[in-house]
Amino acid sequence: MMTGKANSKTKYLILIFGAFAVFFTGYPHIWSIYQPYAMELTGWSQSQASMCFYLYFVTFVLGNIFGGRIQDKYSPRIAVICGGGIFTVSVLLCALALRPSPLMMYFTYGILQGFGQGMIYTTIISTAQKWFPGRTGFASGVIVTANGLFGFFMAPFSRALLSSQGIKVTFLVIGVMIGISWIFASIFIKNPENANKAGGNIIHRYDGKQYSSMEMIKTKKFYFLLATMLFGLIPYLILSPLSQTVQMDRGIASTVAVAAVMAGSVFNAGTRLALPTAADKVGRIICLKVVLVVAAAAMILLVIAPAAVTTVCVVLVYACYGGIMGSFPSLTSNIFGMEHSGENYGYVMLGIAVATLGAPAITNTALGRGYDINVVFTIGAVCAAISFLFLLLLEREIKREKCSRSKITSPKAIQGN
């Protein structure tokens, strides 16, 4: 039995080194820096090279589900070791995958990397939440903030290494760094004592049923939550690839456009921590309502406001994306319980996969039919409004269930039984 002081030290070591490992799961988000080097070396087309990025998102969700299951059935350490090993090998093999055919890169950078990262991501988030039962928003916020900061710190490093050493050496260097990160995380990560036992010191903190994944997907709450994430992410996913070009097309200086994207990245990372931490006190659904209202307003302003406002809107949408990504791990745990939180959040993240594939389809369809970019932004605003509607439905369903439980456990109901 650990003392309170040792227990406190352990949970912060898990949080620190867990965040260090999750930091590297932001690697695919700087693929655009690598892409020109890969295309020059192999002769791939733009669409062939871009597929590496999109494949990652699909297998990332599958890795989350599988990693959560391994964690719940065995231990978080096993999930981190298996996922970290796959993640490391996938990046190291990328140095050998730069061939005329992109198929091997699809397998390494896309499929393997996404799967390995997913196993690490959900495992570390759910384990950290179990060590901070009264502050799950803070714990998950720290972890996902680390993911959001990768581009800010590692994009300049990768750019310098690519220009001086080439893409193959860069893959090898990053692969070694990834290996070091998850090895440290695996040393410290573990569940608290009695974390998965009924009435234990962690599960006991959460009211209501502890849902298994199969039980969860049979509820209305799951689909309302999934739809809230899916539609809430689309404004960012349709704006992000266009964020620099749309500003420059509206007469904004390129230096300002680049600065806006950098500022957006900082706000993205900041809201991943600030919003879920605030939600620990004021409520997660309330905070998400604010985020979705701001996202919808920003997309509307992109259509109707003067060009100078575009830069502000870009930063706001990036911040809203961070707020959503930071809030959903703890929101999922609060609704469906901590006992199976790893695998449960993996299923909720199916919303990310669908949104990632759906956003470019929306943009390409609208622009391909000759519509103005403002039509795309209008669709983004509508998606934020739809997300808000599903959040209201989720809130109503949660209140209805609580009301039903209170009636069942009331003194009159017990006497009647």
Side-chain angles (χ1 to χ4, degrees):
M1 183 73 67
M2 286 190 291
T3 65
K5 187 175 181 180
N7 203 43
S8 179
K9 181 180 179 181
T10 299
K11 70 179 183 181
Y12 282 106
L13 286 172
I14 290 170
L15 194 65
I16 292 167
F17 287 103
F20 181 49
V22 169
F23 172 78
F24 285 93
T25 64
Y27 187 44
H29 295 279
I30 63 169
W31 171 246
S32 60
I33 297 173
Y34 287 69
Q35 189 165 301
Y37 292 88
M39 291 169 63
E40 181 181 0
L41 188 63
T42 62
W44 297 341
S45 67
Q46 184 84 24
S47 59
Q48 285 177 318
S50 298
M51 186 58 65
C52 298
F53 176 76
Y54 292 116
L55 282 172
Y56 150 81
F57 273 99
V58 176
T59 55
F60 177 73
V61 173
L62 296 177
N64 272 267
I65 294 171
F66 186 75
R69 185 166 297 181
I70 294 296
Q71 173 208 346
D72 294 339
K73 189 173 182 179
Y74 300 104
S75 74
R77 179 170 288 123
I78 292 175
V80 168
I81 290 172
C82 293
I86 294 171
F87 183 16
T88 303
V89 169
S90 71
V91 176
L92 293 175
L93 287 177
C94 286
L96 304 175
L98 294 162
R99 301 178 179 183
S101 170
L103 291 179
M104 186 174 176
M105 185 64 85
Y106 292 166
F107 179 68
T108 57
Y109 194 93
I111 295 172
L112 277 184
Q113 181 183 202
F115 194 81
Q117 280 193 19
M119 291 183 68
I120 292 175
Y121 189 83
T122 189
T123 297
I124 292 175
I125 287 177
S126 61
T127 303
Q129 287 180 337
K130 291 174 182 176
W131 282 94
F132 293 84
R135 302 166 67 197
T136 57
F138 164 76
S140 60
V142 169
I143 302 298
V144 297
T145 298
N147 170 275
L149 287 172
F150 182 87
F152 183 80
F153 288 104
M154 294 301 290
F157 175 79
S158 291
R159 190 178 289 111
L161 203 57
L162 285 164
S163 61
S164 63
Q165 301 297 325
I167 189 170
K168 291 185 178 181
V169 172
T170 303
F171 276 133
L172 295 175
V173 171
I174 298 295
V176 171
M177 294 172 70
I178 290 167
I180 293 171
S181 72
W182 68 258
I183 287 171
F184 274 109
S186 68
I187 292 172
F188 298 102
I189 195 164
K190 61 180 179 179
N191 281 324
E193 294 179 9
N194 300 321
N196 291 321
K197 294 180 181 179
N201 60 340
I202 302 300
I203 301 301
H204 184 67
R205 292 284 195 96
Y206 294 86
D207 297 328
K209 180 179 174 64
Q210 299 292 323
Y211 289 81
S212 69
S213 295
M214 292 302 101
E215 290 171 331
M216 178 185 71
I217 63 176
K218 294 177 182 178
T219 68
K220 291 180 181 179
K221 293 184 295 185
F222 168 71
Y223 295 99
F224 293 153
L225 185 65
L226 185 69
T228 302
M229 171 176 268
L230 193 165
F231 287 102
L233 292 176
I234 286 179
Y236 167 80
L237 292 171
I238 62 176
L239 176 63
S240 180
L242 308 170
S243 55
Q244 288 191 49
T245 56
V246 74
Q247 291 181 80
M248 293 170 66
D249 289 345
R250 295 180 177 185
I252 295 169
S254 60
T255 52
V256 176
V258 172
V261 174
M262 292 181 65
S265 299
V266 173
F267 275 83
N268 171 14
T271 53
R272 287 174 184 241
L273 177 59
L275 195 76
T277 302
D280 285 337
K281 296 182 179 179
V282 302
R284 308 193 193 288
I285 290 180
I286 292 174
C287 288
L288 270 176
K289 284 179 180 178
V290 174
V291 166
L292 293 172
V293 168
V294 172
M299 297 305 286
I300 292 171
L301 288 172
L302 283 170
V303 177
I304 65 174
V309 181
T310 301
T311 298
V312 176
C313 293
V314 168
V315 175
L316 287 176
V317 172
Y318 273 68
C320 290
Y321 172 73
I324 291 172
M325 293 302 295
S327 298
F328 266 77
S330 53
L331 178 60
T332 303
S333 299
N334 283 167
I335 296 172
F336 298 109
M338 286 297 302
E339 188 171 353
H340 304 284
S341 58
E343 187 176 352
N344 287 350
Y345 185 55
Y347 279 98
V348 172
M349 290 186 75
L350 288 168
I352 297 177
V354 176
T356 303
L357 298 175
I362 291 171
T363 302
N364 294 337
T365 301
L367 298 180
R369 293 186 177 182
Y371 292 109
D372 185 79
I373 190 65
N374 286 333
V375 173
V376 177
F377 295 149
T378 302
I379 294 172
V382 171
C383 287
I386 293 172
S387 178
F388 190 90
L389 175 62
F390 277 111
L391 185 61
L392 292 178
L393 292 172
L394 174 64
E395 183 180 36
R396 187 179 70 174
E397 185 67 15
I398 292 171
K399 288 179 179 178
R400 186 190 66 79
E401 286 195 1
K402 285 184 177 179
C403 183
S404 298
R405 285 201 302 268
S406 64
K407 287 180 180 179
I408 292 172
T409 56
S410 66
K412 289 184 178 179
I414 294 171
Q415 289 172 8
N417 291 334

